[in-house]
Amino acid sequence: MPFIEHVSDADLERLALERVVPALQDFGFCYLDGVLGEVAGGEVLQQVIDMHQAGVLQDGRLVGSVPGVHRSSIRGDKIAWVSGMERGCEAINFLLNMIDKMIAVCASRLESKKIRERSKAMVACYPGNGAGYVKHVDNPNSDGRCITCIYYLNKDWSAKEHGGVLRIFPEGTSFVADIEPLFDRLLFFWSDRRNPHEVQPSFNTRYAITVWYFDSEERAEAKRRFKNLTDSSLKQSS
Ligand code: OGA
């Protein structure tokens, strides 16, 4: 194990129970700073920089396309999906294990949520050319995603100079929450319509890693819907 055990499992459990669960229940989002520490956080950053330099980060995709609207005017990030088991992703895997542990503790307290699986990790880079991501909801139509977790990797970030702030517009309130994408910060929020959010134009290279945790029932239902849809369109075309 090349990493220093910065936070013990008991600390993770305490953070999850005392900070994350109440904040999710009361506000719908929560962030923690210094979750991996300089060394392990630095290793994650280096792996992401290596991926970027190796050219594996590609244009982020949109669900649908709108004629006449350029993709990069909606989202300007470059991404790659990783499981953590790939060579060169050991530190990312360490991060994912840490987030999994915290979410497992949270799930045991968040009633009516059965969280047993998650997406792969999306490694994302906004290249610093002023690109951002317009206001959107991650899961507007019950695709199963329940909690979004974003780990930020940007040292010496100045929101004034570099922008790149994540602005959350909590549903039903008149306030916004501005979250700077600072190194070793881990953010949690409900993925559904409660949390529309945008990434403001970024004028410096901005790295983050995102994972989405699924509510098992909503996910199973979404898969059933998708299957029915594809079955019926196959029938129509045959
Ligand atoms: C997204 C997103 C926020 C961020 O990728 O859907 O909104 O702060 N990311 O990177």
Side-chain angles (χ1 to χ4, degrees):
M1 170 67 64
F3 310 111
I4 297 170
E5 282 287 347
H6 174 69
V7 184
S8 69
D9 283 4
D11 287 338
L12 289 180
E13 181 167 348
R14 191 180 44 77
L15 280 171
L17 292 179
E18 292 177 7
R19 299 273 309 276
V20 184
V21 169
L24 280 175
Q25 285 168 333
D26 293 346
F27 307 110
F29 65 92
C30 169
Y31 63 82
L32 304 172
D33 285 320
V35 291
L36 288 185
E38 274 296 318
V39 177
E43 300 251 5
V44 176
L45 172 58
Q46 192 54 53
Q47 291 187 343
V48 169
I49 291 173
D50 289 347
M51 289 174 73
H52 190 197
Q53 286 177 349
V56 298
L57 305 181
Q58 303 287 324
D59 285 344
R61 277 215 315 255
L62 297 177
V63 177
S65 66
V66 184
V69 176
H70 199 263
R71 186 203 64 83
S72 63
S73 66
I74 299 175
R75 76 180 280 188
D77 55 346
K78 301 210 173 289
I79 64 162
W81 293 96
V82 301
S83 71
M85 300 313 283
E86 300 86 351
R87 194 201 298 206
C89 289
E90 297 76 8
I92 295 175
N93 196 41
F94 181 77
L95 166 73
L96 297 177
N97 282 327
M98 191 269 296
I99 305 176
D100 284 348
K101 282 182 194 161
M102 292 191 80
I103 291 289
V105 175
C106 293
S108 69
R109 293 302 163 96
L110 294 166
E111 276 161 45
S112 81
K113 294 283 173 217
K114 292 197 185 64
I115 304 174
R116 292 199 207 94
E117 19 156 23
R118 62 160 162 77
S119 68
K120 283 186 169 184
M122 185 184 81
V123 175
C125 165
Y126 289 83
N129 55 2
Y133 195 155
V134 298
K135 188 172 169 187
H136 65 282
V137 170
D138 285 352
N139 174 15
N141 297 317
S142 305
D143 66 16
R145 286 179 291 171
C146 161
I147 299 177
T148 304
C149 297
I150 308 181
Y151 180 72
Y152 294 110
L153 286 157
N154 308 292
K155 292 191 173 181
D156 303 318
W157 191 270
S158 150
K160 238 187 192 160
E161 207 181 325
H162 306 131
V165 165
L166 173 77
R167 172 165 286 184
I168 302 181
F169 305 80
E171 186 192 39
T173 70
S174 56
F175 68 85
V176 296
D178 282 347
I179 294 152
E180 296 182 25
L182 304 187
F183 176 73
D184 209 17
R185 168 171 283 180
L186 179 61
L187 169 70
F188 304 81
F189 60 89
W190 300 125
S191 311
D192 59 27
R193 289 175 191 262
R194 283 172 282 186
N195 284 314
H197 56 280
E198 68 186 10
V199 178
Q200 296 182 342
S202 190
F203 299 100
N204 202 2
T205 310
R206 177 191 190 275
Y207 293 120
I209 299 178
T210 303
V211 279
W212 287 271
Y213 287 83
F214 295 112
D215 173 75
S216 311
E217 274 165 28
E218 189 182 305
R219 183 69 175 161
E221 180 54 38
K223 281 185 180 166
R224 272 195 293 276
R225 274 205 316 272
F226 182 71
K227 187 170 180 306
N228 289 343
L229 208 71
T230 41
D231 285 355
S232 64
S233 60
L234 280 176
K235 260 189 218 130
Q236 274 171 21
S237 63
S238 62

